[in-house]
Amino acid sequence: MTHVYLCIFLKSFNEFFVPSFQSLTEDILSKLADVLEETHYSDSDYIIRQGATGDTFFIISEGQVRKSSDEQVPVKTLSKGDWFGEQSVAHFALLCKDIFVLLVCSAAHLHIFPRSFKQLIGGLDDVNNKQYDSDEVKAKLQAEADYFSSVTLNDIKIICTLGMGGFSRVELVQLKNDANRSFALKVLKKRHILDTSQQGHILSERRIMMEAHSPFIIRLYRTFRDSKYLYMLLEACLGGELWTQLRDRGSFDDGTTRFYTGCVIEALACLHSRGIIYRDLKPENIILDSRGYAKLVDFGFAKKVGLGKKTWTFCGTPEYVAPEIILNKGHDSSADCWSLGILVFELLSGSPPFSGSDPMKTYNIILRGIDMIEFPKKITKSAANLIKRLCRDNPSERLGNQKNGVKDIQKHKWFEGFNWEGLRQGTIDSPFTPTVEGPLDNSNFDYFPEDTEDPPVDEESGWDLEF
């Protein structure tokens, strides 16, 4: 039974659970489908005997089950869509008093273990607990949009190059009428995008960045296009990449790692609440502003799948890819939880836990599981516990992917005493404050030569009209 069918089956589930299952959101139903296991029984098999501990909840998806207490009690026949073992879900400590005898050969049963059910559902009051922008934030964003709506490419002056990618480069720029501010301009070659069939990724990146507003996500203000390039006018963060700091220091202590991980968690919380998965978490994609606060950049692999939905695209940096991506089982925001665990490990130790001489060897090591990895002594027990709970093989068991979402990560012992509200308000000191001498200071970035290539003109195909 496919994951999609399971979600539909649960949504239409009848009788006792109608009020509960039909009120669940798609993301919770999807998580329930993940923990369902399919079991087959043969004709006249006993499923539960009298006096057995009721620790399993069954839903019949095919065939029939006969229920009786003793020979004097009339037999009741259960069929597709019926359920039993419900007391274990309601109370988690009762004994099943009935005998269930299977009548039809090869009938399939789907069961939920109560622990998983409790973790995923809990009280239904919190199911629809989402993050929304305040009126003050919305007003600020509208004013910002109005300001940048009148900016054109002719208003932009290029200062120097901050970074380079496969088919893009990032320039430090200023607006000609404002010498007190600077911006980052991401320049992408249209011909290269077409040659590599990246149109969908680029348009998705733009849509997501225009939607995701968080102090921990790089801001996209405006986009432009001409016959050769696409342009994205971004917030300038002149503190450099987190990867540069990690490279220079070798590894971070608990306090430093906790701060930067906290910034990433806040960014992921914003994305996940909007049904967006990031899929490319690594130190190279975390940039520091002038205060030393971290922000996520590069949303080329990000995708809006919707709450409770999955996607099957294979993408990401090999060392950070979750097992379900490798196995093509479909993945959702829980893949970001896995990558968060890998990030914590790398920041504390200086290198990721899974690494091979080539991607295929790395994937094989990942599939062996986090429990096969020997943790360096510098990683404390509480940090190791957090990493292992983020990197559970089963996505439904990962911290951050259960009923309380990222709150479960924030309440973990490793974060004990951490000032989350101070982080959100920007009132706590960062562990490292970059030296930034002004809006044109690029000293925290490596040197890159000017781009002398003159790409061909892209014949207007219409795919870039959104820019």
Side-chain angles (χ1 to χ4, degrees):
M1 187 178 289
T2 67
H3 182 273
V4 173
Y5 180 79
L6 283 172
C7 290
I8 297 173
F9 182 68
L10 288 173
K11 191 71 174 177
S12 60
F13 187 48
N14 58 15
E15 292 188 20
F16 178 79
F17 272 99
V18 166
S20 298
F21 276 31
Q22 288 191 346
S23 65
L24 296 180
T25 55
E26 294 294 333
D27 53 332
I28 296 297
L29 285 174
S30 178
K31 291 176 182 179
L32 276 177
D34 280 338
V35 298
L36 287 172
E37 294 183 11
E38 188 170 18
T39 304
H40 296 265
Y41 294 91
S42 299
D43 185 30
S44 298
D45 279 352
Y46 285 92
I47 301 174
I48 301 178
R49 290 180 178 273
Q50 186 171 4
T53 302
D55 62 351
T56 304
F57 173 70
F58 294 85
I59 306 173
I60 303 172
S61 63
E62 180 184 339
Q64 293 180 317
V65 169
R66 188 174 63 189
K67 171 182 176 181
S68 64
S69 296
D70 52 50
E71 293 182 0
Q72 284 72 41
V73 178
V75 172
K76 179 180 180 181
T77 300
L78 307 177
S79 56
K80 181 177 180 179
D82 290 328
W83 49 269
F84 56 90
E86 71 282 0
Q87 288 182 327
S88 64
V89 175
H91 303 291
F92 302 98
L94 298 181
L95 296 178
C96 289
K97 299 180 180 179
D98 301 322
I99 298 174
F100 296 86
V101 184
L102 192 69
L103 295 178
V104 178
C105 294
S106 300
H109 294 264
L110 302 173
H111 58 268
I112 302 172
F113 292 102
R115 180 176 61 83
S116 299
F117 189 91
K118 185 178 181 181
Q119 286 175 338
L120 292 171
I121 299 299
L124 296 180
D125 294 340
D126 297 329
V127 167
N128 294 312
N129 197 13
K130 305 298 179 187
Q131 296 181 0
Y132 294 101
D133 293 329
S134 66
D135 291 339
E136 182 181 353
V137 170
K138 290 179 179 178
K140 180 180 178 181
L141 292 173
Q142 185 58 52
E144 186 179 87
D146 293 341
Y147 173 80
F148 286 103
S149 65
S150 61
V151 175
T152 69
L153 279 174
N154 292 330
D155 298 322
I156 296 174
K157 176 185 177 182
I158 295 178
I159 307 300
C160 62
T161 300
L162 296 177
M164 291 180 61
F167 54 91
S168 68
R169 57 193 294 127
V170 179
E171 311 280 9
L172 179 63
V173 302
Q174 277 190 315
L175 299 182
K176 294 177 181 178
N177 63 350
D178 187 358
N180 296 318
R181 295 179 65 185
S182 62
F183 301 89
L185 185 69
K186 186 173 182 177
V187 185
L188 305 101
K189 299 173 182 177
K190 291 171 66 175
R191 187 71 258 165
H192 194 116
I193 293 170
L194 288 170
D195 290 344
T196 55
S197 300
Q198 296 295 311
Q199 301 97 305
H201 284 292
I202 299 303
L203 295 178
S204 173
E205 180 178 6
R206 180 193 184 277
R207 285 192 296 267
I208 287 172
M209 294 191 71
M210 293 298 288
E211 175 184 346
H213 301 134
S214 166
F216 304 96
I217 294 175
I218 200 81
R219 286 284 293 116
L220 172 60
Y221 299 116
R222 177 74 195 275
T223 57
F224 312 91
R225 63 190 175 98
D226 60 24
S227 61
K228 297 181 180 180
Y229 300 99
L230 300 179
Y231 306 88
M232 304 175 76
L233 188 63
L234 303 160
E235 172 187 7
C237 291
L238 300 180
E241 293 179 356
L242 183 62
W243 180 84
T244 303
Q245 293 298 321
L246 184 62
R247 177 195 63 190
D248 295 344
R249 299 185 181 200
S251 63
F252 296 146
D253 60 24
D254 261 26
T256 302
T257 302
R258 193 176 291 114
F259 178 87
Y260 292 131
T261 303
C263 293
V264 172
I265 289 172
E266 288 295 315
L268 292 179
C270 171
L271 295 173
H272 293 174
S273 70
R274 292 164 170 81
I276 299 168
I277 51 179
Y278 181 63
R279 303 195 296 186
D280 201 19
L281 189 59
K282 55 184 176 181
E284 293 91 328
N285 285 342
I286 302 171
I287 199 165
L288 306 181
D289 63 17
S290 58
R291 305 169 301 159
Y293 275 62
K295 298 174 185 276
L296 282 187
V297 299
D298 197 343
F299 284 71
F301 285 153
K303 185 174 184 179
K304 184 165 186 174
V305 295
L307 297 173
K309 303 296 178 60
K310 292 192 175 187
T311 183
W312 280 259
T313 309
F314 192 101
C315 64
T317 300
E319 291 80 5
Y320 278 75
V321 171
E324 62 269 23
I325 297 179
I326 298 171
L327 297 173
N328 197 31
K329 290 184 174 181
H331 60 276
D332 53 22
S333 60
S334 61
D336 286 338
C337 298
W338 170 281
S339 298
L340 183 66
I342 305 301
L343 178 71
V344 175
F345 189 104
E346 180 169 4
L347 296 183
L348 288 171
S349 68
S351 59
F354 306 109
S355 184
S357 55
D358 60 65
M360 290 306 300
K361 290 182 179 178
T362 298
Y363 299 146
N364 285 327
I365 298 172
I366 289 172
L367 294 178
R368 295 174 193 166
I370 193 69
D371 290 331
M372 299 300 292
I373 299 299
E374 183 177 352
F375 280 55
K377 292 182 179 180
K378 64 176 70 175
I379 298 181
T380 62
K381 288 185 178 180
S382 60
N385 179 269
L386 173 64
I387 293 167
K388 290 183 177 181
R389 293 184 66 185
L390 288 167
C391 294
R392 299 293 293 269
D393 290 339
N394 187 338
S396 66
E397 296 178 355
R398 287 178 200 154
L399 208 62
N401 191 43
Q402 297 172 342
K403 65 170 184 174
N404 294 319
V406 297
K407 291 181 181 178
D408 288 333
I409 305 176
Q410 294 167 332
K411 291 179 180 179
H412 188 273
K413 185 177 181 181
W414 189 64
F415 280 107
E416 191 172 25
F418 186 72
N419 186 356
W420 287 99
E421 190 57 32
L423 180 72
R424 296 184 191 105
Q425 299 298 325
T427 57
I428 60 175
D429 293 334
S430 63
F432 167 74
T433 303
T435 300
V436 179
E437 298 295 345
L440 303 184
D441 185 358
N442 67 327
S443 60
N444 292 305
F445 294 86
D446 294 331
Y447 169 76
F448 296 94
E450 291 185 11
D451 185 10
T452 56
E453 181 184 354
D454 185 23
V457 172
D458 172 50
E459 296 181 3
E460 292 295 335
S461 55
W463 71 270
D464 61 343
L465 292 179
E466 189 173 326
F467 267 72

